[in-house]
Amino acid sequence: MKLFALAAGLAAGLPIVCLSGPARADENRVVIELFTSQGCSSCPPADELLERLAERDDVLPLALHVDYWDYIGWADSFARPEHTRRQKAYAKIAGSRSIYTPQMIIGGVEQIVGTRPMEVADAVMRHVQQEPAIDLDVERDGDTVRIMSDTPVTAKGPLLVQLVRYMPHQVVEIGRGENAGRTLTYTNIVTEWSILAEWTGSEPLDLSAEVPGPDAVAVIVQKAGNGRILAAADLR
């Protein structure tokens, strides 16, 4: 019943709210990466789906704008080549020789066309129901974020501790290309995705990072080589 309600809500565009406490990785937040582009006419429905997912407390939806559609007449103002490289790395793992938009990666391991809300809902529910592999504690004091975790029982390295910065909301008027004349809303637009440390998982984690500026902050722990995402927490 929960799965049906989630899927129906995503498909119909209804607000979906999960009542829970503050966002912490031990609540098993599911990371959803949407590879999208302002120049892709198929992407607006996926962008809208990501916006609805952002209303949930148990997921962390992130939009990674790619640059390989810029040549068709409109350069995506959020596009970064490193996002394209990240998508290519996922494709290589999956044995795919091509990449496309819109594509969603759920939990670092499930690859789904971004305009299929029923499949997205199914994948999200599978990951939400899994026990978290890492108990991650993230605190922010001014421009400094502290990231802590006990030694995980089941998760062993190499693990990548990653810092993600993102803009929660932006509206863009598209002047040319496939979406010319449209005004589109974008949610959780990634502006930085960097590796803070490689963690073996054989000892507790305790590190700090500087996070100046207004962009929201998220911390993601992922198996090296674009593997499964084991923990995620964000501070807005």
Side-chain angles (χ1 to χ4, degrees):
M1 182 63 71
K2 289 182 179 179
L3 173 58
F4 177 79
L6 169 60
L10 292 180
L14 299 176
I16 302 168
V17 179
C18 177
L19 300 179
S20 63
R24 288 172 53 95
D26 58 4
E27 291 172 356
N28 200 19
R29 303 208 55 190
V30 179
V31 177
I32 303 172
E33 301 172 60
L34 170 63
F35 293 94
T36 185
S37 172
Q38 295 172 6
C40 163
S41 61
S42 301
C43 287
D47 299 321
E48 293 172 5
L49 176 56
L50 196 81
E51 183 178 16
R52 297 197 295 275
L53 285 164
E55 298 172 0
R56 295 174 57 91
D57 292 332
D58 52 2
V59 300
L60 175 57
L62 298 168
L64 292 89
H65 287 243
V66 298
D67 61 354
Y68 50 84
W69 293 125
D70 288 0
Y71 77 94
I72 61 176
W74 179 257
D76 190 316
S77 57
F78 307 134
R80 291 174 175 264
E82 54 265 37
H83 297 168
T84 301
R85 290 194 293 269
R86 184 171 177 86
Q87 189 182 22
K88 286 181 177 179
Y90 278 127
K92 184 177 180 180
I93 292 170
S96 176
R97 302 178 63 180
S98 62
I99 55 177
Y100 65 91
T101 55
Q103 182 188 37
M104 286 187 178
I105 309 293
I106 314 295
V109 291
E110 296 200 49
Q111 305 189 15
I112 300 172
V113 176
T115 52
R116 297 178 180 174
M118 297 292 284
E119 292 184 25
V120 172
D122 192 6
V124 167
M125 290 303 296
R126 282 195 296 272
H127 286 266
V128 165
Q129 292 168 358
Q130 294 175 5
E131 289 294 326
I134 294 173
D135 182 3
L136 193 65
D137 186 13
V138 179
E139 301 175 352
R140 183 172 186 174
D141 184 6
D143 287 345
T144 302
V145 166
R146 186 179 181 189
I147 305 158
M148 296 165 288
S149 177
D150 294 332
T151 303
V153 176
T154 59
K156 299 302 179 183
L159 310 173
L160 300 182
V161 183
Q162 301 167 109
L163 177 71
V164 179
R165 306 295 305 273
Y166 63 93
M167 295 183 291
H169 181 83
Q170 290 288 322
V171 177
V172 179
E173 295 182 1
I174 310 297
R176 295 182 303 278
E178 293 185 352
N179 290 317
R182 301 184 67 176
T183 298
L184 300 176
T185 300
Y186 295 100
T187 304
N188 290 5
I189 307 138
V190 173
T191 57
E192 176 188 352
W193 194 304
S194 58
I195 298 173
L196 295 178
E198 184 173 300
W199 181 30
T200 65
S202 59
E203 71 285 329
L205 177 69
D206 190 345
L207 58 88
S208 297
E210 294 301 309
V211 289
D215 287 355
V217 178
V219 176
I220 295 173
V221 180
Q222 184 173 16
K223 292 285 287 185
N226 288 78
R228 179 177 293 276
I229 292 175
L230 302 175
D234 74 322
L235 300 167
R236 302 185 181 185

